[in-house]
């Protein structure tokens, strides 16, 4: 049995997971905004979770930002968890783990890929690409069964693939990154613009959610359909480029935007296949992630199993 921990902006979640991927027990706690309350909340939760169970053999941690996998040191982490920068996650949770229990940590997108490799959509796969389509776009790339980390731990940041060299400025410092065109934030901002400009649309809220825009498009709203088509065109273009570079067995999509279901998948499949069939001579499957694991604890546990 291993421990899987997911450190998010608002909540910290953890689970005891068996080797076959069953969650034995799980818990969550508020992340807290202060360093002291973060450590206290996390460690109290981990103590309570392990109470009455046999000792865990390893722990895996998923965390946003850039993490040094071997040392578990947080290298870069903007936002509310900024105070974790420079800290070693294994040192923070060490006091509540069994003696000499190994700890590994990685960013949330690579954790998700580790989970899919162990128990999900990449189970029988050596080469796969995964995109997490949410507020922003994250990603992970698996080549020959290894999840790529790169020289500085940045590999897999598919959301920052340049899809328009002269496009809008991105938070990463570059211009025209994929996530400035395709992400929940980008789609929501397009939705808000059409409401603000008084275009004929079913959207009524001045600040529509990404899901509102998809729902309106599905219900025949031509303005919203155009927003989705344009955004998805950038996503498909980026995926097509990745297929030519990496030639994977499959592409896995996950994250809140995939709740749009067939509408999104049908558009992406059709467009990606049109772009890539002549060179690849096969339709690379584009599938949804299989782990019902919105908390990320299973992926973190899968990473722990590699220790
Ligand atoms: Zn960027």
């Amino acid at each position: 049995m291993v421990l899987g921990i997911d450190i998010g902006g608002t909540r910290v979640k953890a689970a005891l997971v068996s080797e076959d991927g069953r969650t034995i027990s799980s818990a969550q706690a508020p992340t807290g905004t202060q360093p002291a309350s973060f450590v206290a909340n996390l460690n109290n939760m981990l103590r309570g979770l392990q109470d009455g169970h046999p000792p865990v053999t390893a722990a895996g941690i998923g965390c946003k930002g850039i993490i040094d996998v071997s040392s578990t040191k947080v290298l870069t982490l903007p936002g509310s968890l900024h105070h974790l920068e420079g800290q070693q996650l294994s040192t923070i949770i060490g006091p509540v783990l069994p003696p000499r229990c190994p700890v590994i940590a990685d960013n949330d997108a690579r954790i998700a890929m580790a989970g899919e490799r162990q128990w999900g959509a990449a189970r029988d796969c050596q080469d796969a690409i995964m995109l997490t389509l949410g507020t922003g776009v994250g990603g992970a790339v698996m080549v020959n069964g290894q999840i790529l980390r790169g020289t500085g731990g940045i590999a897999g940041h598919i959301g920052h693939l340049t899809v328009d060299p002269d496009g809008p400025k991105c938070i990463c410092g570059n211009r025209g990154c994929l996530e400035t065109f395709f992400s929940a934030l980008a789609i929501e901002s397009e939705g808000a613009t059409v409401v603000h400009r008084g275009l004929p649309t079913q959207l009524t809220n001045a600040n529509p959610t990404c899901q509102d825009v998809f729902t309106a498009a599905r219900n025949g709203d031509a303005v919203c359909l155009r927003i989705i088509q344009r955004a998805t065109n950038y996503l498909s273009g980026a995926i097509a480029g990745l297929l030519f570079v990496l030639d994977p067995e499959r592409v896995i999509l996950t994250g809140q935007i995939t709740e749009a279901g067939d509408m999104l998948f049908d558009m992406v499949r059709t467009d990606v296949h049109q772009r890539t069939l002549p060179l690849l001579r096969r339709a690379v499957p584009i599938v949804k992630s299989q782990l019902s694991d919105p908390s990320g604890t299973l992926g973190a546990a899968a990473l722990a199993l590699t220790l």
Side-chain angles (χ1 to χ4, degrees), residues 245-295:
V245 175
L246 296 159
D247 194 10
E249 290 165 66
R250 72 193 60 155
V251 177
I252 303 162
L253 303 182
T254 189
Q256 65 169 103
I257 306 183
T258 58
E259 285 162 24
D262 287 345
M263 183 181 188
L264 173 74
F265 280 85
D266 289 348
M267 282 166 116
V268 174
R269 284 179 187 131
T270 304
D271 194 17
V272 169
H273 294 158
Q274 269 172 3
R275 289 169 185 270
T276 57
L277 271 174
L279 181 56
L280 296 181
R281 287 170 288 126
R282 65 192 173 95
V284 178
I286 298 173
V287 301
K288 188 160 169 25
S289 57
Q290 283 178 2
L291 292 194
S292 51
D293 181 31
S295 67

Side-chain angles (χ1 to χ4, degrees), residues 160 170 172 174 177:
H160 299 287
C170 177
C172 74
N174 184 21
C177 293

